Amino acid sequence: MKIHKEGRRILFFTLLALLAANLLLFRYNAENGGFNKVFAAISVIMFLILLQFFRSPARRLFTHEDLIIAPADGKVVVIENVQEPEYFNDERKQISIFMSPINVHITRNPISGIVRYFKYHPGNYLVAWHPKSSTKNERTTVVVESEAGPLVLFRQIAGAMARRIVWYVNEGDEVSQGEEFGFIKFGSRVDIFVPLDTEVKVQIGEKVKGGQTIIAQLKTPPPSLF
């Protein structure tokens, strides 16, 4: 199990702080040995929770040009037709995945293609399942022209705990399905917007794995024989 690069600095300084606090307690509060042991146990648990949050498990990625792969680990919380106001300005099918604090928080490209649009939006920190979090919270918007043809829009959305979104893509980049496009620290969600005729392959409440679970299939024209 590897540790993601976004967590190495945080983990290092957290470990130093916890070690310093425990050493100070054992040196200057030796008469309260019971309290010191409880604090040490809590310190270990806190560090392990933080450690698992930044884990980066090896994944055998699934790729196919007309399939949409889950961009993150989590649970499907929204499948509905909505008006997408930022880029398409028309009706699209939205699929949303909620990432709890215990999920891996790497975000992956759901499709291969060319990034045609990217924008970072500062914003609020409503709980990630709030209906307005998609348009009010801190977020990034990425639109990829897929190899199969249709445009696919996806967003990293900060939640009540998430206070930093990291991204690794820019307009004009060529991206590969399953590869990392960012990281959301401490819980959030990812929204995907696809054409209305896209066939959804998951259900509300279903748990998915980033880079592996097929969540939808784009409708593409049959190949020409001439």
Side-chain angles (χ1 to χ4, degrees):
M1 179 72 68
K2 295 192 302 181
I3 302 301
H4 196 273
K5 62 183 180 181
E6 299 296 341
R8 292 169 191 165
R9 185 181 178 88
I10 292 174
L11 288 167
F12 175 73
F13 285 108
T14 300
L15 181 60
L16 285 182
L18 291 173
L19 284 174
N22 279 276
L23 288 173
L24 287 171
L25 279 176
F26 277 95
R27 180 168 183 176
Y28 297 107
N29 194 38
E31 66 276 10
N32 293 322
F35 174 83
N36 294 347
K37 289 178 181 178
V38 170
F39 186 85
I42 293 173
S43 298
V44 171
I45 292 170
M46 287 176 57
F47 186 77
L48 289 177
I49 291 173
L50 194 62
L51 186 67
Q52 68 83 34
F53 177 83
F54 286 107
R55 69 194 187 278
S56 179
R59 291 279 168 88
R60 177 175 291 181
L61 303 177
F62 186 91
T63 61
H64 195 283
E65 67 176 15
D66 64 352
L67 296 177
I68 307 294
I69 307 302
D73 290 13
K75 183 170 69 174
V76 178
V77 294
V78 174
I79 301 174
E80 63 182 0
N81 294 349
V82 299
Q83 193 74 15
E84 197 295 302
E86 180 179 350
Y87 183 83
F88 294 116
N89 292 308
D90 64 12
E91 194 173 13
R92 296 278 153 163
K93 193 180 296 291
Q94 176 183 339
I95 306 168
S96 297
I97 298 169
F98 173 71
M99 306 158 70
S100 77
I102 63 171
N103 287 127
V104 173
H105 279 68
I106 297 167
T107 50
R108 300 177 182 275
N109 297 304
I111 199 82
S112 295
I114 304 296
V115 177
R116 297 303 183 193
Y117 176 84
F118 173 86
K119 189 170 184 179
Y120 166 74
H121 303 268
N124 300 323
Y125 297 98
L126 302 171
V127 291
W129 57 84
H130 194 288
K132 292 186 177 180
S133 65
S134 183
T135 56
K136 298 295 185 181
N137 279 16
E138 179 187 7
R139 62 200 181 278
T140 62
T141 301
V142 184
V143 178
V144 171
E145 182 180 356
S146 67
E147 292 181 348
L151 294 168
V152 176
L153 183 153
F154 44 98
R155 289 195 180 102
Q156 298 170 296
I157 303 171
M161 292 178 62
R163 296 289 163 166
R164 189 182 176 202
I165 293 176
V166 181
W167 62 89
Y168 313 132
V169 297
N170 293 288
E171 284 187 25
D173 288 352
E174 184 174 356
V175 296
S176 296
Q177 193 172 46
E179 288 187 354
E180 295 183 24
F181 81 86
F183 195 96
I184 311 178
K185 297 184 178 181
F186 303 113
S188 191
R189 83 184 218 191
V190 179
D191 290 349
I192 306 99
F193 294 83
V194 293
L196 293 176
D197 59 2
T198 300
E199 182 182 357
V200 177
K201 301 289 189 179
V202 291
Q203 298 179 339
I204 296 287
E206 185 173 339
K207 293 182 179 179
V208 297
K209 283 192 172 184
Q212 291 186 329
T213 305
I214 299 168
I215 62 172
Q217 184 170 15
L218 296 168
K219 186 175 182 180
T220 55
S224 173
L225 298 178
F226 302 98

